[in-house]
Amino acid sequence: RLQSYFSTTHSTNTNAEYIARGLSASYAPPGTVGPIRMRFTLGQTWTNYPDYRIAFFGVPGGRQDETRFGRIDATFVDWDYAGFSQTVGVTAHSTTSNVSRFESDAFGISFGFRSKF
């Protein structure tokens, strides 16, 4: 499944105004691997803050952030309780920016429940 998006935000705070676009692709293999249904996602976003300022100085060309991300979701479809299956997600992302304080790398694990109905 391919997805794309575009959004823009206007604000009285010029540092909060941005234009964002992104692409992602997800793949869920048919069936299960044992009791687990998998989904894999990869994507990238580009965010432009055209009038970004640091203190009183404008950043030439504005601030540009680029984020790459990946996610693996596992749903334990055969292990449910009251119509809810357990889920585990693993996410990683890396953001580069022309304003170094916004560069980051992250890794996360989430646990949850998904409705089977």
Side-chain angles (χ1 to χ4, degrees), residues 29-38 40 74-79:
T32 61
V33 177
I36 302 171
R37 179 171 295 127
M38 303 291 293
F40 304 92
T75 302
F76 296 86
V77 293
D78 290 343
W79 304 345

Side-chain angles (χ1 to χ4, degrees), residues 81-94:
Y81 181 75
F84 292 91
S85 296
Q86 300 168 18
T87 63
V88 175
V90 177
T91 304
H93 84 259
S94 178

Side-chain angles (χ1 to χ4, degrees), residues 7-110:
S7 70
T8 183
T9 299
H10 298 284
S11 173
T12 56
N13 175 356
T14 59
N15 282 355
E17 287 196 12
Y18 65 86
I19 299 167
R21 63 193 194 287
L23 295 170
S24 68
S26 294
Y27 175 70
T32 61
V33 177
I36 302 171
R37 179 171 295 127
M38 303 291 293
R39 174 177 297 277
F40 304 92
T41 304
L42 291 173
Q44 185 162 344
T45 62
W46 299 268
T47 308
N48 182 29
Y49 299 80
D51 298 319
Y52 195 80
R53 303 181 72 71
I54 297 175
F56 300 105
F57 305 99
V59 173
R63 175 180 142 207
Q64 290 93 35
D65 295 353
E66 195 172 307
T67 301
R68 291 172 190 81
F69 61 89
R71 181 170 176 88
I72 299 172
D73 292 294
T75 302
F76 296 86
V77 293
D78 290 343
W79 304 345
D80 67 284
Y81 181 75
F84 292 91
S85 296
Q86 300 168 18
T87 63
V88 175
V90 177
T91 304
H93 84 259
S94 178
T95 300
T96 58
S97 178
N98 64 330
V99 179
S100 62
R101 72 174 80 171
F102 295 102
E103 294 193 354
S104 66
D105 295 309
F107 178 82
I109 299 174
S110 61

